[in-house]
Amino acid sequence: MNFMKSHRCYDAIPTSCKLVIFDTKLQVKKAFFALVANGLRAAPLWDSKLQKFVGMLTITDFINILHCYYKSPMVQMYELESHKIETWRDVYLQYTNHFLISISPEASLFDAIFSLLKYKIHRLPVIDPESGNVLHILTHKRILKFLHIFGKKVPKPAFVWKQIQELGIGTFRNIATVQLTATLHDALSIFVDRRVSALPVLNEQGKVVALYSRFDVINLAAQKIYNNLDMTMQEAIRRRSCFFEGVIKCYPDETLETIIDRIVRAEVHRLVLVDRADMVKGIISLSDLLQAMVLTPAGIDALLS
């Protein structure tokens, strides 16, 4: 906790990184193709009329557009083909009060974690208050990696050697899953309705055989197959690119330290908690770990706020 309060967001910005910015007049389809081409999950949006950043375009937008406008493989999604980003935002903002959440490079990493968890976002733009320029997009993964590398110099709290089942870190009830035989459209509906970032994919025996995340959905744009959401999850998993997270598992009797080390080394966003028979018992996300490691010791529960 003290380590995060004593380090600024600027400290976690890498020496070199890629940042893509979209004008809101850009076509939605071109924007998503640009995300794929640059290997990115999100980009800040610039409104040339207002002369300021007004939001983020993320994979969640792509999922919402597909879910909103998909009818069948035989019907072309005119909205995806022709809409500009500003048109989609006008439609989407009717149903949600969505303003740009950002942070100053001089703010503490503790404040960054609080904002990420409180507002349930995965991308936090670091904006220079003087120039108004976006310097970096902070993520849970970047902050946890920073803590893992540079936090070795500070003493570890005793609870990191406790078992995960004893600490109760993660989600253990009403876990969102999807069957191998379900359609891709079914999976998108779960993403939208449950607001989860990944779905354990189960076989007929109820065992987890894959993990399908929001990031996998962007492959539909890469492969230009987003007009067929009636394919089964088995087919969707087979078609996705080779660059996917896979199922990185953990077990209830493993320690928090072991789990943090595994999630950082694997560079994934979550672990699937299973028993020895590979039955899903829970999900442990980066949000859960940052809450437990940083905010809980400060007496703050941002996940419930």
Side-chain angles (χ1 to χ4, degrees):
M1 176 183 72
N2 291 331
F3 177 83
M4 287 303 188
K5 284 186 174 179
S6 63
H7 285 80
R8 303 169 303 159
C9 292
Y10 189 84
D11 298 328
I13 297 177
T15 308
S16 176
C17 62
K18 185 182 290 186
L19 181 65
V20 172
I21 293 168
F22 295 141
D23 191 290
T24 54
K25 293 193 177 298
L26 183 68
Q27 279 188 323
V28 166
K29 183 178 176 181
K30 289 182 178 178
F32 289 125
F33 283 158
L35 286 180
V36 171
N38 287 282
L40 298 173
R41 296 169 184 246
L45 296 176
W46 174 260
D47 189 314
S48 51
K49 286 182 188 173
L50 300 176
Q51 285 292 297
K52 67 176 185 177
F53 290 101
V54 292
M56 298 281 290
L57 188 77
T58 70
I59 294 171
T60 299
D61 289 299
F62 186 54
I63 291 171
N64 285 332
I65 288 172
L66 293 181
H67 185 257
C68 184
Y69 297 119
Y70 181 77
K71 300 293 185 292
S72 79
M74 305 302 293
V75 180
Q76 188 176 27
M77 278 182 281
Y78 167 79
E79 293 83 1
L80 179 59
E81 301 295 329
S82 63
H83 270 189
K84 293 178 180 178
I85 295 172
E86 61 183 4
T87 313
W88 163 244
R89 281 176 58 80
D90 287 341
V91 172
Y92 185 57
L93 293 178
Q94 291 177 16
Y95 309 103
T96 176
N97 181 21
H98 222 64
F99 54 94
L100 178 63
I101 298 161
S102 63
I103 199 163
S104 162
E106 295 300 322
S108 71
L109 285 172
F110 183 92
D111 291 337
I113 293 169
F114 181 75
S115 291
L116 284 165
L117 272 57
K118 176 181 172 62
Y119 296 109
K120 294 179 172 57
I121 55 176
H122 296 94
R123 306 280 178 274
L124 183 62
V126 181
I127 297 182
D128 186 324
E130 293 185 12
S131 67
N133 292 333
V134 177
L135 305 178
H136 186 59
I137 308 295
L138 266 183
T139 63
H140 301 77
K141 186 193 285 189
R142 179 68 193 171
I143 294 173
L144 189 64
K145 190 171 185 179
F146 182 84
L147 175 62
H148 190 254
I149 293 171
F150 298 103
K152 290 177 180 177
K153 299 174 184 176
V154 297
K156 291 182 179 178
F159 64 79
V160 299
W161 289 286
K162 289 186 177 181
Q163 293 181 358
I164 202 74
Q165 61 186 357
E166 182 184 352
L167 293 168
I169 297 169
T171 302
F172 308 101
R173 295 180 182 177
N174 200 18
I175 306 298
T177 61
V178 68
Q179 298 291 321
L180 265 177
T181 52
T183 67
L184 187 50
H185 191 264
D186 292 334
L188 296 191
S189 295
I190 299 172
F191 280 137
V192 171
D193 296 339
R194 297 288 300 275
R195 296 186 67 185
V196 293
S197 58
L199 294 169
V201 184
L202 311 181
N203 63 14
E204 291 178 355
Q205 290 74 43
K207 293 184 177 183
V208 59
V209 293
L211 191 68
Y212 197 78
S213 72
R214 286 176 179 266
F215 183 63
D216 289 316
V217 179
I218 204 70
N219 284 318
L220 302 178
Q223 299 170 10
K224 300 181 181 177
I225 54 173
Y226 48 80
N227 267 324
N228 182 17
L229 302 183
D230 290 352
M231 72 174 81
T232 64
M233 289 306 300
Q234 188 161 12
E235 175 70 7
I237 290 163
R238 188 185 67 78
R239 283 180 175 240
R240 68 184 174 184
S241 71
C242 55
F243 302 104
F244 64 90
E245 292 182 355
V247 187
I248 311 295
K249 305 170 190 172
C250 63
Y251 300 93
D253 57 359
E254 291 185 303
T255 66
L256 177 58
E257 184 185 38
T258 299
I259 284 168
I260 291 172
D261 188 64
R262 183 173 303 150
I263 205 167
V264 170
R265 289 180 186 275
E267 294 192 341
V268 295
H269 292 81
R270 76 225 26 105
L271 300 178
V272 181
L273 185 73
V274 297
D275 60 18
R276 297 297 169 178
D278 276 344
M279 306 294 281
V280 177
K281 295 299 177 184
I283 298 284
I284 300 173
S285 69
L286 294 176
S287 295
D288 296 322
L289 295 177
L290 288 172
Q291 171 65 55
M293 292 288 292
V294 181
L295 298 186
T296 298
I300 299 171
D301 194 340
L303 294 176
L304 293 179
S305 62

